[in-house]
Amino acid sequence: MSEKVLIVDDEKEIADLIEIYLKNDGYTVYKFYNGRDALKCIEETAPDLAVIDVMLPDIDGFRLCQKIREQFYFPIIMLTAKIADEDKIMGLTMGADDYITKPFNPLEVAARVKTQLRRYMRYNNQAGKRTEETEEHDIRGLLINRDTHKCSLYGKELQLTPIEFGILWYLCEHQGTVVPSEELFEAVWGEKYLDNNNTVMAHIARLREKLHESAKKPKFIVNVWGVGYTIEK
């Protein structure tokens, strides 16, 4: 069965163009020009990925992303005409996994969709696959299991996106070692790190929020300024 991709963009020409390229790649596409119809579709079809424009006629893309994250954890790619870092960070903080700035090459969108879906499917198909590597870490009440793709804090399950899970797992795997942002990005995203990339920082901020910790007094993820991040032993 082909993966289901949701497109939400009020610019019909852009939505239609993305639809054509994704259908050519074999995806089942659901296309909407506003957020409310998109939310209804999500409830009924549970897509595998969503491509959402920031500027929508009813609710903005940030709010739509936030609403989706209340129940669903499939990858979200944001489309934005703005290039300011704060807009990108806002989307990532709300739970987006990636962003693309307009104007864009539709081939890039198709490639990003493929990358996010591959990562999502990999993280969600670990159950039953045993290896000689460590499958679980228990760090001061934080329990994370790669085999089941579950994470809990003091016995309460945390709802993490695949990207958030990947970041936390990598830091747990390297507990006691400072992991540079470049290394963390390339390990989790599987792409080349670019200068001034705030993606890692935004996802770390969201992870800390879910772990109920502050950046000033973290219990788990410590920021070593100018170097990277670590979970101390």
Side-chain angles (χ1 to χ4, degrees):
M1 185 176 68
S2 64
E3 291 93 343
K4 297 174 289 186
V5 178
L6 173 72
I7 301 171
V8 192
D9 196 319
D10 65 333
E11 294 186 64
K12 187 177 185 300
E13 296 79 7
I14 291 178
D16 291 349
L17 184 62
I18 297 174
E19 179 186 29
I20 291 170
Y21 276 79
L22 293 183
K23 281 189 172 181
N24 285 342
D25 282 344
Y27 299 114
T28 298
V29 176
Y30 300 92
K31 180 180 61 178
F32 296 94
Y33 307 120
N34 65 76
R36 288 188 176 84
D37 288 344
L39 281 173
K40 184 178 179 181
C41 174
I42 291 170
E43 293 285 351
E44 295 174 350
T45 65
D48 298 299
L49 181 144
V51 180
I52 301 173
D53 185 33
V54 169
M55 303 299 292
L56 295 173
D58 47 2
I59 58 176
D60 66 59
F62 296 137
R63 177 61 179 155
L64 178 57
C65 180
Q66 189 177 41
K67 289 286 291 181
I68 291 171
R69 283 292 177 252
E70 291 175 1
Q71 299 183 62
F72 302 96
Y73 300 95
F74 53 77
I76 297 175
I77 299 175
M78 302 292 292
L79 301 177
T80 175
K82 302 178 180 180
I83 60 174
D85 283 343
E86 55 264 29
D87 292 307
K88 298 173 182 177
I89 293 173
M90 173 67 80
L92 295 170
T93 302
M94 290 295 181
D97 297 277
D98 199 359
Y99 59 83
I100 299 175
T101 303
K102 296 180 179 180
F104 53 76
N105 185 327
L107 288 173
E108 179 187 1
V109 177
R112 298 283 190 95
V113 167
K114 187 177 297 183
T115 297
Q116 290 294 334
L117 281 172
R118 183 171 60 246
R119 184 180 299 117
Y120 178 62
M121 297 302 176
R122 184 177 72 242
Y123 280 131
N124 285 278
N125 284 284
Q126 289 294 330
K129 297 181 180 179
R130 306 298 299 184
T131 69
E132 294 181 359
E133 298 177 353
T134 301
E135 295 293 340
E136 185 174 271
H137 292 284
D138 189 347
I139 303 173
R140 300 185 293 278
L142 175 65
L143 183 66
I144 184 168
N145 190 301
R146 182 171 60 182
D147 195 38
T148 61
H149 192 246
K150 289 186 176 181
C151 181
S152 63
L153 180 63
Y154 308 133
K156 184 177 181 180
E157 186 172 349
L158 302 177
Q159 300 297 332
L160 304 181
T161 67
I163 289 291
E164 292 164 354
F165 185 92
I167 291 172
L168 191 55
W169 177 263
Y170 196 84
L171 291 175
C172 288
E173 280 273 82
H174 297 81
Q175 185 185 5
T177 301
V178 179
V179 179
S181 297
E182 295 91 336
E183 178 184 338
L184 190 57
F185 181 86
E186 292 179 6
V188 176
W189 275 262
E191 300 174 10
K192 185 67 177 176
Y193 182 88
L194 301 175
D195 291 338
N196 300 318
N197 192 325
N198 293 306
T199 304
V200 172
M201 180 179 66
H203 279 84
I204 291 289
R206 185 163 179 82
L207 259 176
R208 281 177 170 154
E209 180 183 335
K210 292 186 176 182
L211 292 169
H212 306 293
E213 64 176 11
S214 68
K216 293 182 179 180
K217 293 183 179 180
K219 297 177 182 177
F220 297 102
I221 303 174
V222 177
N223 185 6
V224 181
W225 293 106
V227 184
Y229 301 91
T230 184
I231 293 180
E232 297 177 337
K233 290 187 175 180

